[in-house]
Amino acid sequence: MQEQGVLLHLEDEQAIARAVADACGLHARLVERHRFPDGELRLRLPPALPPRVVVWRGLHQPNEKLVELLLVARTARELGARDLTLVAPYLGYMRQDMAFRAGEAVSQRIVGGFLASLFDGLVTVDPHLHRVATLEQAVPVPRAVVLSGAPLLADHIARERGEVVLIGPDEESLQWVAAAARPHGWTHAVCRKTRQGDREVDIELPGLPVAGRPVVLIDDVASSGQTLVRAAQLLRQAGVRSLDVAVTHALLPDEALVRIRQAGVGAFWSTDAVAHPSNAVSIVPAVAGALRV
């Protein structure tokens, strides 16, 4: 097979994977997937592969997908791949970067090492890193590329709303919120969050005047939506003129989105790093640019 490179994908991510392949001159190829009655998987790759292979697999709902990556990567090597890059727009298992209680598995280190054993490169978008400074520390591959949805979302907000105040839901989001605000010269701040559990949070708004002003809550990930709901309630009580939400990764179910809108949120925008009805901003040009380098 005389090809510059191949991008392998599964059927559920076909549209975005093929868009990226077209944009960066790779040949998109489907990995056929069959599930046996007992739940095991049979995957079939193209029978011959060029030296350069890119694998597209978003790692939201990651458990079964990690098995898929094991099967795909090992088989791709057998079929001719010499350089394997994983594009995981959402990178799962990154939040547990230390053992908070004795005996806990440090999933970031374990899953990161697993991925590094399979791939030579990794491209991801806004990985959920806290106490780790670089992606290479979490996933020690020779080539690691981190893209950000912050500037993409900020440009969309500017087109839709013009001058706004950006608010992040917690202190950890400050650097990310600042990166979104900086190119447009927007006022920005972050809330103080105390988490009581997976679905219970306490929020304290920043000491920033927001009454009568358009505000956008911006974050990297929305999963349960509880943080956004509580922040939205407090901002509405503070008298904001309008309130919207922008996130890179929308992982939340439909009922969570309903609760967010009931809390007073107007528009809810996300990137297509994770497929969701709220997708409004495409990561395709950014990922294609990273793969062309």
Side-chain angles (χ1 to χ4, degrees):
M1 178 181 289
Q2 301 298 316
E3 293 182 307
Q4 179 179 355
V6 159
L7 190 153
L8 299 175
H9 63 86
L10 281 89
E11 187 173 7
D12 59 314
E13 294 179 311
Q14 177 169 293
I16 190 169
R18 292 197 169 186
V20 168
D22 289 345
C24 63
L26 296 172
H27 297 266
R29 295 289 184 267
L30 178 68
V31 175
E32 298 176 11
R33 183 177 186 272
H34 173 77
R35 183 186 298 278
F36 291 104
D38 63 0
E40 291 185 7
L41 300 173
R42 181 182 67 208
L43 302 182
R44 182 173 184 269
L45 281 63
L49 291 172
R52 184 193 181 198
V53 174
V54 175
V55 178
W56 186 287
R57 201 59 174 144
L59 290 176
H60 48 289
Q61 301 296 319
N63 295 350
E64 184 170 274
K65 294 174 183 177
L66 291 171
V67 175
E68 293 172 352
L69 289 180
L70 173 64
L71 300 176
V72 168
R74 294 287 174 83
T75 306
R77 299 278 190 193
E78 294 173 0
L79 295 172
R82 296 294 175 265
D83 186 277
L84 271 176
T85 297
L86 171 64
V87 179
Y90 179 80
L91 190 59
Y93 279 113
M94 291 295 106
R95 64 167 59 87
Q96 187 84 10
D97 55 11
M98 63 179 291
F100 297 95
R101 295 186 298 171
E104 284 185 339
V106 183
S107 56
Q108 182 189 94
R109 185 167 64 233
I110 296 167
V111 173
F114 170 72
L115 294 175
S117 74
L118 299 175
F119 295 95
D120 306 297
L122 170 65
V123 178
T124 190
V125 183
D126 288 328
H128 204 60
L129 306 177
H130 292 306
R131 286 156 289 272
V132 173
T134 66
L135 179 61
E136 291 90 340
Q137 290 175 264
V139 188
V141 290
R143 302 185 312 276
V145 178
V146 174
L147 304 174
S148 179
L152 307 178
L153 290 166
D155 289 346
H156 182 77
I157 293 165
R159 290 190 295 269
E160 295 292 320
R161 296 292 184 263
E163 182 78 14
V164 299
V165 175
L166 288 188
I167 301 289
D170 53 39
E171 296 96 326
E172 291 174 342
S173 66
L174 177 57
Q175 184 176 356
W176 194 82
V177 174
R182 191 177 302 116
H184 301 277
W186 291 333
T187 300
H188 64 280
V190 295
C191 300
R192 178 174 297 175
K193 178 171 73 173
T194 303
R195 183 172 291 281
Q196 308 298 330
D198 288 344
R199 299 179 182 275
E200 296 181 22
V201 294
D202 292 331
I203 294 290
E204 180 183 337
L205 292 181
L208 185 72
V210 294
R213 305 176 74 178
V215 172
V216 176
L217 277 166
I218 186 165
D219 203 1
D220 59 340
V221 180
S223 49
S224 71
Q226 286 303 108
T227 300
L228 291 173
V229 166
R230 186 59 186 141
Q233 292 169 339
L234 293 174
L235 286 165
R236 279 298 183 188
Q237 292 170 14
V240 299
R241 189 176 82 206
S242 64
L243 181 60
D244 304 298
V245 169
V247 299
T248 298
H249 304 292
L251 305 179
L252 65 177
D254 291 344
E255 57 268 24
L257 193 56
V258 170
R259 290 196 301 272
I260 290 169
R261 295 196 183 283
Q262 290 174 340
V265 169
F268 188 105
W269 303 301
S270 66
T271 76
D272 57 2
V274 175
H276 192 267
S278 64
N279 289 166
V281 175
S282 180
I283 64 167
V284 168
V287 175
L291 293 175
R292 281 196 295 265
V293 173

